[in-house]
Amino acid sequence: MNQRTERRGIHVDQSELLCNKGCGYYGNVAWQGLCSKCWREEYQRARQKQIQEDWALAEKLQKEEEAAYASIQGAQAQPQASLAPFSKFEEKKTNEKTRKVTTVKKFFSPSSRTAPKKENQEGKTPSPSISRQSSIETDRVSRDFVDFLKILQKPGREIHKQSRAFIEIMANKKDLGADELSECVQDFYQNMSDRLMTHFKGSTERVEQVMDEVEKYIMTRLYKSVFCPETTDDEKKDLATQNRIRALHWVDIQMLCVPVDEEIPEVSDNVVKAITDVIEMDSKRVPRDKLACITRCSKHIFSAIKITKSEPASADDFLPTLIYIVLKANPPRLQSNIQYITRFCNPSRLMTGEDGYYFTNLCCAVAFIEKLDAQSLNLDPEDFERYMSGQASPRRPEVGSSWPQMDTAASRPALAQVYQNLDLLSGLGSRQERVLEGARSLQSDLITWQESVEREVQEILEKYPLEIRPPALSAIDSDNVENDRLPLPLTPQVFAG
């Protein structure tokens, strides 16, 4: 070959190579001995082969998912009552996995490169329970629940799956009444407890520990939909109880025979803590946490009674004190919280233990407040009605009576100061009455004086009537005697231009 060779009309050097594909191209090759045209064709063939392999993998995954779904359906067809409520959840889960496989197919399809936005919209799996905005507390409870179940390993996974399935089922039962919702939750508690008893071989303590976590997780997620539902009159009862307690603001310790001396600082602190605990009950979501607030409140009451009496408190001392604490606190949504605990709390806690005992006493205290009458406080019915209507108060003395300051003032300086202030207020009231009486007398005197002045003016006008004569009109210079000596008036003159 010569130093320079003409090939296809192009002069090339002898150092240039011939394309390995045999296309006849002689020149600079792009990659692996191929010209640019042959390299692009080879790249397209390799890419099509990769797409076909991906399609085959996607079809294989879909067949495996369909086989798994068929096996799950066959297992659910068997008479297993424990897995019956969760068939919809398994079906939904399988459908979500099938949609994921379809998304993989679309990703490797040629049309996916031209319409990515449409692919993203079709790949979404809208779910009300997943897309809703979870609160911080709900997220924290969910993480704690998962961390707790990791210790149980395989049973923990089953408990988590069934709990999530139950929440999904309850999300579709918003139209049910409160009793039906309560029945569903209680049935779930019973079924879960029976399974745990079988797994833990009768270990009641371990079962209660797991059930507490299950209750916390479920009721935190369902709180907004089952607390004070619209199908009940819980809100109406809350308002009635709140107004009733407000009307009973005048009831004091002596009327209820409460064995508590609030003048003792430590006793006063326990009373304040008890009031705080019973008010805090409304801020909790889990029935067990609400019961814990009632239990803490009750223990503070027992401490206050013990400090006052220097001996352990009895049940006869506890209930009147609890009634007094409820009247002082007036907890928000009291009836709704009681109904919520009754409907959705784990029944084992309400039937046994101190939580159930204290909750029963709270219910008794609320029932006593609703039926409270004059006989319950050893009062006259007329006085009771006047106190309830606000026309009178047992803390205000009758006119002419004095405050009992002798023994009380000596033993309780704070109460003596209160009595002294009330005496000052009574004195200010009498002084105000005197000032008002003087003002009314001055007003009467002013009216009488005005009327007497009007009568005198009228009499003078009648005795000396006023005559008004019109003034006589005359020329300005009529009185001037020297008018004849005045010059003639000036006459206008016109000068030519």
Side-chain angles (χ1 to χ4, degrees):
M1 188 178 294
N2 299 328
Q3 184 70 22
R4 301 184 61 86
T5 305
E6 187 176 43
R7 192 175 182 85
R8 297 167 65 182
I10 302 175
H11 294 282
V12 296
D13 297 330
Q14 291 183 353
S15 59
E16 293 179 341
L17 302 176
L18 186 66
C19 179
N20 294 335
K21 294 294 291 184
C23 64
Y25 178 82
Y26 184 87
N28 295 326
V29 296
W31 180 65
Q32 293 184 354
L34 300 178
C35 63
S36 59
K37 180 180 178 181
C38 295
W39 179 82
R40 283 194 299 269
E41 292 176 354
E42 187 68 21
Y43 172 77
Q44 290 294 335
R45 282 193 293 270
R47 193 170 185 279
Q48 289 295 329
K49 181 179 179 181
Q50 182 66 35
I51 291 175
Q52 292 176 0
E53 291 177 356
D54 293 334
W55 266 86
L57 178 61
E59 290 176 354
K60 181 180 178 181
L61 291 174
Q62 185 177 10
K63 291 180 181 180
E64 291 178 357
E65 292 292 338
E66 290 175 353
Y69 175 72
S71 62
I72 293 175
Q73 290 294 97
Q76 290 179 349
Q78 298 177 0
Q80 295 182 0
S82 60
L83 297 178
F86 311 113
S87 59
K88 294 182 179 180
F89 171 72
E90 294 291 344
E91 181 180 357
K92 183 176 181 180
K93 182 178 179 182
T94 305
N95 291 337
E96 289 179 355
K97 291 183 177 180
T98 305
R99 282 193 292 270
K100 291 179 181 179
V101 174
T102 306
T103 305
V104 173
K105 288 184 177 181
K106 291 179 180 179
F107 178 77
F108 290 110
S109 64
S111 60
S112 64
R113 299 189 299 272
T114 59
K117 294 184 179 180
K118 184 176 179 181
E119 167 207 332
N120 293 335
Q121 293 177 358
E122 294 177 355
K124 292 181 180 179
T125 57
S127 176
S129 63
I130 298 175
S131 61
R132 70 179 182 84
Q133 183 67 27
S134 300
S135 64
I136 297 177
E137 183 178 359
T138 303
D139 295 338
R140 178 178 57 81
V141 170
S142 300
R143 290 194 300 269
D144 294 344
F145 186 60
V146 172
D147 293 339
F148 173 79
L149 294 179
K150 287 180 179 178
I151 305 174
L152 304 179
Q153 297 180 356
K154 185 177 180 180
R157 290 192 295 271
E158 183 67 19
I159 293 171
H160 185 263
K161 181 179 71 174
Q162 293 175 2
S163 300
R164 285 182 58 86
F166 178 73
I167 293 173
E168 294 289 340
I169 293 172
M170 292 295 292
N172 299 323
K173 294 184 177 182
K174 297 180 180 180
D175 297 334
L176 294 182
D179 295 336
E180 288 81 1
L181 293 174
S182 174
E183 185 176 355
C184 293
V185 174
Q186 295 298 332
D187 289 344
F188 178 77
Y189 285 159
Q190 186 63 41
N191 293 333
M192 181 66 71
S193 179
D194 293 342
R195 297 177 197 175
L196 293 176
M197 288 292 291
T198 303
H199 175 73
F200 292 113
K201 299 179 181 180
S203 178
T204 307
E205 182 178 357
R206 188 61 173 166
V207 171
E208 290 182 355
Q209 183 181 4
V210 176
M211 287 302 301
D212 288 342
E213 296 296 328
V214 171
E215 177 190 349
K216 182 179 180 180
Y217 173 70
I218 290 176
M219 298 316 302
T220 302
R221 298 288 299 272
L222 300 177
Y223 178 78
K224 292 183 179 180
S225 59
V226 300
F227 181 84
C228 191
E230 297 179 356
T231 57
T232 64
D233 58 348
D234 293 346
E235 186 176 358
K236 183 178 179 180
K237 292 180 180 179
D238 289 334
L239 295 176
T241 302
Q242 191 174 43
N243 293 331
R244 175 72 173 176
I245 295 176
R246 286 178 178 175
L248 293 169
H249 68 278
W250 48 269
V251 178
D252 56 14
I253 290 179
Q254 288 76 19
M255 294 179 182
L256 295 173
C257 300
V258 177
V260 170
D261 186 2
E262 292 188 80
E263 293 298 323
I264 303 175
E266 192 173 356
V267 174
S268 178
D269 291 342
N270 279 282
V271 170
V272 171
K273 291 178 180 179
I275 294 174
T276 303
D277 289 330
V278 75
I279 292 176
E280 188 182 1
M281 174 179 60
D282 185 62
S283 64
K284 304 298 182 181
R285 290 191 174 191
V286 185
R288 179 168 59 91
D289 294 341
K290 293 181 181 292
L291 285 176
C293 292
I294 300 174
T295 302
R296 290 197 301 270
C297 170
S298 303
K299 290 183 177 181
H300 288 308
I301 291 174
F302 275 108
S303 298
I305 298 174
K306 182 178 181 181
I307 295 171
T308 303
K309 298 180 65 175
S310 299
E311 61 182 17
S314 62
D316 295 334
D317 297 331
F318 170 70
L319 185 58
T321 310
L322 180 60
I323 295 171
Y324 174 72
I325 292 297
V326 173
L327 290 176
K328 293 278 286 184
N330 196 0
R333 300 191 292 184
L334 181 58
Q335 293 286 356
S336 294
N337 282 286
I338 291 176
Q339 293 297 328
Y340 177 74
I341 295 173
T342 305
R343 292 167 183 157
F344 303 108
C345 184
N346 189 352
S348 62
R349 284 193 171 273
L350 291 181
M351 296 177 184
T352 59
E354 60 179 5
D355 291 342
Y357 172 75
Y358 294 138
F359 178 71
T360 303
N361 278 271
L362 178 63
C363 296
C364 294
V366 175
F368 179 84
I369 292 172
E370 292 176 347
K371 299 179 180 179
L372 186 64
D373 55 9
Q375 185 178 1
S376 304
L377 301 176
N378 296 324
L379 293 176
D380 184 80
E382 296 181 359
D383 293 339
F384 180 81
E385 293 299 329
R386 290 194 299 123
Y387 297 158
M388 291 293 293
S389 62
Q391 298 177 359
S393 175
R395 297 183 177 87
R396 179 181 298 175
E398 299 295 333
V399 179
S401 63
S402 59
W403 294 96
Q405 299 183 3
M406 299 179 183
D407 298 337
T408 308
S411 59
R412 301 178 182 177
L415 191 58
Q417 184 65 34
V418 172
Y419 290 147
Q420 184 179 357
N421 293 337
L422 290 173
D423 286 335
L424 292 175
L425 291 175
S426 300
L428 291 175
S430 61
R431 289 175 61 185
Q432 184 181 12
E433 289 294 333
R434 290 196 298 269
V435 171
L436 292 176
E437 185 64 28
R440 286 191 290 266
S441 177
L442 179 60
Q443 183 180 12
S444 178
D445 294 342
L446 288 174
I447 294 174
T448 304
W449 175 78
Q450 182 180 2
E451 292 176 352
S452 62
V453 170
E454 290 178 353
R455 284 196 303 269
E456 291 179 1
V457 171
Q458 188 65 29
E459 291 175 358
I460 293 173
L461 291 176
E462 291 176 357
K463 186 176 181 180
Y464 304 102
L466 181 63
E467 295 181 1
I468 302 176
R469 297 177 181 180
L473 299 177
S474 60
I476 297 176
D477 297 333
S478 60
D479 297 337
N480 193 347
V481 295
E482 298 180 353
N483 289 340
D484 298 336
R485 299 179 179 180
L486 292 176
L488 295 174
L490 298 174
T491 56
Q493 296 180 4
V494 178
F495 297 94

